[in-house]
Amino acid sequence: MLIHVDPGDELAIYDQIVRQIKFAIANGIVLPGELVPSVRELAKQAAVNPNTVARAFRELQIEGVLETVRGTGLAVTKAAPKRCRSDRLELIRVRLRAVLHEALQSQLETAEIRQITDEELSRLHELATHTPRNGSRE
Amino acid sequence: MLIHVDPGDELAIYDQIVRQIKFAIANGIVLPGELVPSVRELAKQAAVNPNTVARAFRELQIEGVLETVRGTGLAVTKAAPKRCRSDRLELIRVRLRAVLHEALQSQLETAEIRQITDEELSRLHELATHTPRNGSRE
Amino acid sequence: MLIHVDPGDELAIYDQIVRQIKFAIANGIVLPGELVPSVRELAKQAAVNPNTVARAFRELQIEGVLETVRGTGLAVTKAAPKRCRSDRLELIRVRLRAVLHEALQSQLETAEIRQITDEELSRLHELATHTPRNGSRE
Amino acid sequence: MLIHVDPGDELAIYDQIVRQIKFAIANGIVLPGELVPSVRELAKQAAVNPNTVARAFRELQIEGVLETVRGTGLAVTKAAPKRCRSDRLELIRVRLRAVLHEALQSQLETAEIRQITDEELSRLHELATHTPRNGSRE
DNA sequence: GTGGTCTAGACCACC
DNA sequence: GTGGTCTAGACCACG
């Protein structure tokens, strides 16, 4: 499970980690009972401070997505996949709603908004296609 | 020119004000040479701290959208409308791009994203229709 | 609102703060809408690191007991008193239950347990009476 | 001598084992000179890591409750029963005191505390009666 | 090895 | 002034 963090993002680093782990669980990349990467390991991989990772994990623990296995690590709970799947949609939806609200408020027409959305989607799609996983083609 | 501020929004209050003023200028609600409301007046109307309004105005001055008219107040510059019109699209676009990026990264399909967008748009549209501008019909 | 922290306690410092603030709210020492002491102030008063206080506050915020007032501080929510009152009993009850469970498991008789409880209660009561608030008589 | 461990308990697993062994000795379930179960056996029975059991035994050796019998195992010392009997009360007392202290500090009345104690005691007693030792009646 | 806690100090955004 | 985030580094308990 790889986590990529963008320090320039509007979201806090710990929140980016929280979300990406939820997405990974929602998509079955880690299964219930399995351990997520250790704090130190994930911190090294994502090049952030271990405390920041720990904070993300704490949040996930409070939400019941992860549980500690004493002296062993953090495991995905049984209830996590279901919760993460519904969370995934909601997390996106909330952010999207805020942006669309502002767009409408700024007098943009619905048609214009749809067009911009499509433009951005295809731009992102292209980007993803040309730099498959690690940007090796760059 | 009415400003509505949502303290719960992810955007800072001063930023919400900045953006709404730009939108108003882009849409010709205030024209070049016209004065924007005073700090105190706008602060009262939007129920925020005067310092916050001042901060927003300072930002707009730096960007060349507003200019001081000695002893009178702040006026919309001649160059403002054009700049604000192009800004408007870009401001929305940047926020939208970030959300769409996360959506794709979370393995949502393009089709799903379009569907959610449409759902949210119609929900917001309905909301706007039923509580026109200030909720006076309630 | 004074917070006293015991570094030797089995409970983490941040948890002691969380609990004491809940107790203060439950007992009406701070009312809804009022601000709790600032992070820096409480940190100084209780002689702990500001981060530790911040962590306690974050926890209380997640639980809906406190809410941020941007740039101003943290306020007690409207729903807090009710929640804290019921929490108070539950927090105590859970700890008490664990101890009593161990006592019974160790073959202590119910009567003995009651007796120890009474002994400890009166000892604590005495202690509190003789060192009223700040131990000035010492 | 059966050991039951609760991973969710606030006490460390090794500490739960230490305490239960002391209780067993205090109650004469194992007598001086008798061997306690081997690390491996106890680990299997309680479903915990052998290291954890070893840690508990080490602790008990340091306290002079157990002693090694070369090539044979760990035996209860002659001095153990007396020490464990007095320990038993003290171990319980210390935990109980901490909880009662917090209860008083939270402004609960002595009478209320006694009532909660009785409620919890009878609840635990009932539970114990209905699922005698190992839940065989279920 | 693991996570949990705490300290210290820095920087930022907001009001 | 306020809270929020992040880094760095330390120590502890657990397995």
Side-chain angles (χ1 to χ4, degrees):
Chain A
M1 187 178 56
L2 291 183
I3 301 290
H4 290 290
V5 150
D6 173 11
D9 195 290
E10 55 178 342
L11 264 57
I13 292 179
Y14 81 91
D15 206 12
Q16 295 180 46
I17 297 175
V18 165
R19 285 165 168 257
Q20 287 184 38
I21 288 179
K22 283 187 181 173
F23 294 158
I25 295 172
N27 292 318
I29 293 173
V30 271
L31 300 174
E34 287 184 14
L35 297 178
V36 294
S38 77
V39 170
R40 292 162 173 89
E41 188 186 331
L42 208 159
K44 208 175 62 185
Q45 181 246 302
V48 299
N49 188 288
N51 277 328
T52 305
V53 177
R55 165 141 184 213
F57 282 179
R58 203 185 315 137
E59 214 101 328
L60 288 164
Q61 217 186 319
I62 292 173
E63 291 197 46
V65 171
L66 299 181
E67 60 188 354
T68 65
V69 184
R70 291 214 258 198
T72 305
L74 287 162
V76 176
T77 64
K78 215 179 119 194
K82 195 179 153 197
R83 189 170 313 174
C84 289
R85 269 194 296 277
S86 63
D87 263 24
R88 186 177 61 153
L89 272 176
E90 196 52 24
L91 289 171
I92 304 288
R93 212 179 260 279
V94 166
R95 285 187 75 187
L96 189 56
R97 188 180 305 152
V99 177
L100 295 176
H101 178 244
E102 191 185 37
L104 285 173
Q105 196 184 267
S106 85
Q107 309 283 2
L108 277 180
E109 295 294 334
T110 304
E112 292 178 277
I113 297 174
R114 276 215 194 79
Q115 191 194 328
I116 302 177
T117 306
D118 285 347
E119 282 171 24
E120 292 300 332
L121 275 175
S122 53
R123 186 193 303 193
L124 286 167
H125 189 257
E126 226 172 272
L127 213 102
T129 321
H130 287 40
T131 54
R133 260 177 214 92
N134 45 21
S136 57
R137 292 237 187 125
E138 293 293 77
Chain B
M1 184 180 55
L2 291 183
I3 301 291
H4 290 291
V5 150
D6 174 10
D9 194 290
E10 54 178 343
L11 263 55
I13 293 177
Y14 86 93
D15 204 13
Q16 295 181 45
I17 297 175
V18 165
R19 294 165 84 105
Q20 287 185 39
I21 289 179
K22 284 186 180 175
F23 294 158
I25 295 172
N27 293 316
I29 293 174
V30 274
L31 300 173
E34 286 186 15
L35 296 178
V36 294
S38 75
V39 168
R40 281 177 195 137
E41 189 185 328
L42 209 160
K44 209 177 73 182
Q45 182 248 303
V48 300
N49 190 305
N51 281 328
T52 308
V53 177
R55 161 93 189 261
F57 283 178
R58 203 186 323 137
E59 213 96 335
L60 288 164
Q61 267 181 275
I62 292 172
E63 293 196 47
V65 171
L66 299 181
E67 60 189 355
T68 63
V69 183
R70 290 220 272 193
T72 308
L74 286 165
V76 175
T77 64
K78 211 179 123 195
K82 192 179 157 198
R83 187 171 313 175
C84 288
R85 268 195 297 278
S86 63
D87 264 22
R88 185 176 65 151
L89 271 175
E90 196 51 24
L91 289 173
I92 304 288
R93 214 180 259 278
V94 166
R95 285 187 75 189
L96 190 56
R97 188 179 306 151
V99 178
L100 295 177
H101 178 244
E102 190 184 37
L104 285 173
Q105 194 183 272
S106 86
Q107 310 283 1
L108 279 181
E109 296 293 335
T110 305
E112 291 178 276
I113 297 175
R114 276 215 193 78
Q115 190 193 330
I116 301 178
T117 307
D118 285 345
E119 281 171 24
E120 291 301 331
L121 276 174
S122 54
R123 188 193 303 192
L124 286 167
H125 188 258
E126 223 173 273
L127 214 102
T129 321
H130 288 39
T131 55
R133 261 178 213 91
N134 45 21
S136 58
R137 294 235 187 126
E138 294 292 74
Chain C
M1 187 180 54
L2 292 182
I3 301 291
H4 291 291
V5 149
D6 173 11
D9 195 291
E10 54 176 345
L11 265 54
I13 293 178
Y14 83 90
D15 205 11
Q16 295 180 46
I17 297 175
V18 165
R19 286 166 167 257
Q20 287 184 39
I21 288 179
K22 283 186 180 174
F23 295 158
I25 294 173
N27 292 318
I29 292 172
V30 271
L31 300 173
E34 287 184 15
L35 296 178
V36 294
S38 79
V39 170
R40 291 161 173 90
E41 188 185 331
L42 210 158
K44 208 175 64 183
Q45 183 246 302
V48 299
N49 187 288
N51 278 327
T52 306
V53 178
R55 164 143 186 211
F57 282 0
R58 201 184 318 138
E59 215 102 327
L60 288 164
Q61 216 186 320
I62 292 173
E63 291 197 48
V65 171
L66 299 181
E67 60 188 353
T68 66
V69 184
R70 289 213 259 197
T72 305
L74 287 162
V76 176
T77 64
K78 217 179 117 193
K82 195 178 153 198
R83 189 170 314 176
C84 289
R85 269 195 296 278
S86 63
D87 264 23
R88 184 175 64 151
L89 272 176
E90 196 52 23
L91 289 172
I92 304 287
R93 213 180 259 279
V94 166
R95 284 186 76 186
L96 189 56
R97 188 180 306 152
V99 178
L100 295 176
H101 178 244
E102 189 184 37
L104 286 172
Q105 193 184 272
S106 85
Q107 309 284 359
L108 279 180
E109 295 294 333
T110 305
E112 292 177 276
I113 296 173
R114 274 214 194 78
Q115 192 194 328
I116 302 177
T117 307
D118 285 345
E119 283 171 22
E120 292 301 331
L121 274 175
S122 52
R123 186 193 304 192
L124 285 168
H125 189 257
E126 226 173 88
L127 213 102
T129 321
H130 287 41
T131 53
R133 261 176 214 93
N134 45 21
S136 58
R137 293 238 187 126
E138 293 293 78
Chain D
M1 183 179 58
L2 291 183
I3 301 291
H4 290 292
V5 151
D6 174 10
D9 195 289
E10 53 178 340
L11 263 55
I13 293 176
Y14 85 93
D15 205 13
Q16 294 181 46
I17 297 175
V18 165
R19 295 163 84 106
Q20 287 185 38
I21 289 178
K22 284 185 179 173
F23 295 159
I25 295 172
N27 292 316
I29 292 173
V30 274
L31 300 172
E34 286 185 15
L35 296 178
V36 293
S38 75
V39 169
R40 283 176 195 139
E41 188 184 330
L42 210 160
K44 208 177 72 181
Q45 181 248 302
V48 300
N49 190 306
N51 282 327
T52 309
V53 178
R55 162 94 187 260
F57 283 178
R58 201 186 325 138
E59 213 97 334
L60 288 163
Q61 266 181 277
I62 292 171
E63 293 195 47
V65 171
L66 299 181
E67 60 188 355
T68 63
V69 182
R70 290 220 271 194
T72 309
L74 286 164
V76 176
T77 65
K78 213 179 122 194
K82 192 179 158 198
R83 186 170 313 175
C84 289
R85 269 194 297 278
S86 64
D87 264 21
R88 185 176 65 150
L89 269 177
E90 196 51 23
L91 289 172
I92 304 288
R93 213 180 261 278
V94 166
R95 285 187 77 188
L96 189 56
R97 190 180 304 149
V99 177
L100 295 176
H101 177 245
E102 189 184 37
L104 285 173
Q105 193 184 270
S106 86
Q107 309 283 4
L108 278 181
E109 296 293 334
T110 304
E112 291 177 276
I113 297 174
R114 275 215 193 78
Q115 191 194 328
I116 301 177
T117 307
D118 285 347
E119 282 172 23
E120 292 301 330
L121 275 174
S122 53
R123 187 193 302 194
L124 285 167
H125 189 257
E126 224 173 272
L127 214 102
T129 320
H130 288 40
T131 54
R133 259 178 215 92
N134 45 20
S136 58
R137 292 233 190 132
E138 294 293 74

